[in-house]
Amino acid sequence: MTSTTGQLRSLAREHVAVAALTIPRLLRHRVWREADPHEGAGLGVVLVPGFGAGEFSLTFATTWLRDRGYVPAGAGVGFNVGCTSELVDRVEQRLEEHAEETGGPVVLLGQSRGGGLARLAAARRPDLVRGLVMLGSPLLDPMGAHPHVLLAARALAQLASIGVPGLMNAECLNGTCFEDNVASITAPLPDDLPAVSIYSKSDGIVPWELSLDPSAEWVEVHSTHTGMGLDPDVYLALRPRLASWAAERFDLRSAG
């Protein structure tokens, strides 16, 4: 456990260093500074953070979306360390709520493990999803992430086995729950559900090949894993796709 704690601390320090380097570049970039408040047309977006990260990790994405007329909301998964099936239930519930609040299907946007949770929820309720965005997500093999991440996951499962609530358990790593979710996350999405998987060959946490979802459009950026939510290239890739989904929603509402 001590070794795992040290590895997590090392990763946390890396995250801070990446943010310190990436945020100033994002704030100076035109993709951040140029904002059309009507672009999003009120389209809802549910944001799902990565493993061990809370909604705060997607603060910049939330701000960027809100400044452009989207209606972002957190997925309510806390620090994303719980049982996969239970977390997907929460994402689905938030998806339903936000679709009702915003008057129609919404976008699901997830980072890392959050992208996998978003995909699972989208497969359950494609009728409520306008589009799906996955950032650096291990979609083809949820267990293919960096060994440090897997060690942390196994440590959480050990804690769950002695009664600590709210954590993923052994079933999430190699049991029936795991097998069911792997089958679901690798199953084809409906043809009319647009999905984008953004990956980076500089990703030191998730091998980029695992993000090549056959049901999604592949977009390569040059970013670190944890820096994707802060990288201007990610927002440059997202902007036209989100705007297209927002315009389609606006056209459908106007026709109705």
Side-chain angles (χ1 to χ4, degrees):
M1 189 71 68
T2 301
S3 175
T4 300
T5 301
Q7 290 161 350
L8 289 175
R9 286 176 178 168
S10 177
L11 286 173
R13 287 193 295 269
E14 179 183 337
H15 298 175
V16 172
V18 167
L21 293 172
T22 309
I23 289 174
R25 178 171 169 249
L26 174 62
L27 298 182
R28 291 193 301 266
H29 201 282
R30 61 180 176 81
V31 77
W32 181 271
R33 293 185 289 104
E34 297 173 0
D36 176 359
H38 304 293
E39 187 171 286
L43 176 61
V45 183
V46 173
L47 297 101
V48 193
F51 175 69
E55 292 180 5
F56 180 78
S57 67
L58 292 171
T59 295
F60 282 86
T62 298
T63 301
W64 185 86
L65 290 163
R66 186 177 293 121
D67 287 349
R68 284 152 187 80
Y70 298 92
V71 183
V77 298
F79 284 96
N80 197 349
V81 292
C83 166
T84 298
S85 295
E86 292 177 2
L87 293 180
V88 176
D89 288 343
R90 290 193 209 172
V91 176
E92 181 182 4
Q93 179 181 351
R94 192 69 189 100
L95 176 62
E96 293 175 350
E97 295 169 349
H98 205 43
E100 182 175 352
E101 292 164 359
T102 57
V106 305
V107 172
L108 279 170
L109 188 159
Q111 183 169 8
S112 193
R113 187 193 190 199
L117 297 179
R119 195 192 192 282
L120 289 167
R124 285 188 189 179
R125 296 300 308 273
D127 57 308
L128 297 179
V129 181
R130 175 64 61 199
L132 171 65
V133 176
M134 300 163 288
L135 307 179
S137 299
L139 303 166
L140 302 185
D141 179 9
M143 296 298 289
H146 193 285
H148 288 180
V149 176
L150 298 183
L151 281 173
R154 292 189 178 98
L156 293 174
Q158 290 175 0
L159 290 173
S161 71
I162 61 174
V164 179
L167 303 177
M168 63 173 62
N169 55 41
E171 281 285 304
C172 293
L173 302 179
N174 54 24
T176 302
C177 175
F178 171 78
E179 293 171 358
D180 290 347
N181 285 318
V182 168
S184 296
I185 203 172
T186 55
L189 292 170
D191 291 339
D192 59 352
L193 196 166
V196 179
S197 180
I198 295 181
Y199 69 94
S200 171
K201 293 181 180 179
S202 301
D203 192 324
I205 301 296
V206 172
W208 64 272
E209 296 92 341
L210 301 185
S211 296
L212 303 185
D213 183 342
S215 291
E217 175 190 5
W218 305 341
V219 178
E220 182 181 0
V221 297
H222 303 285
S223 169
T224 63
H225 181 77
T226 56
M228 280 197 183
L230 304 170
D231 197 289
D233 291 344
V234 171
Y235 292 97
L236 285 170
L238 289 182
R239 187 168 191 175
R241 292 163 176 83
L242 290 171
S244 173
W245 299 341
E248 290 171 7
R249 175 179 186 270
F250 181 79
D251 291 343
L252 289 172
R253 293 184 67 177
S254 297

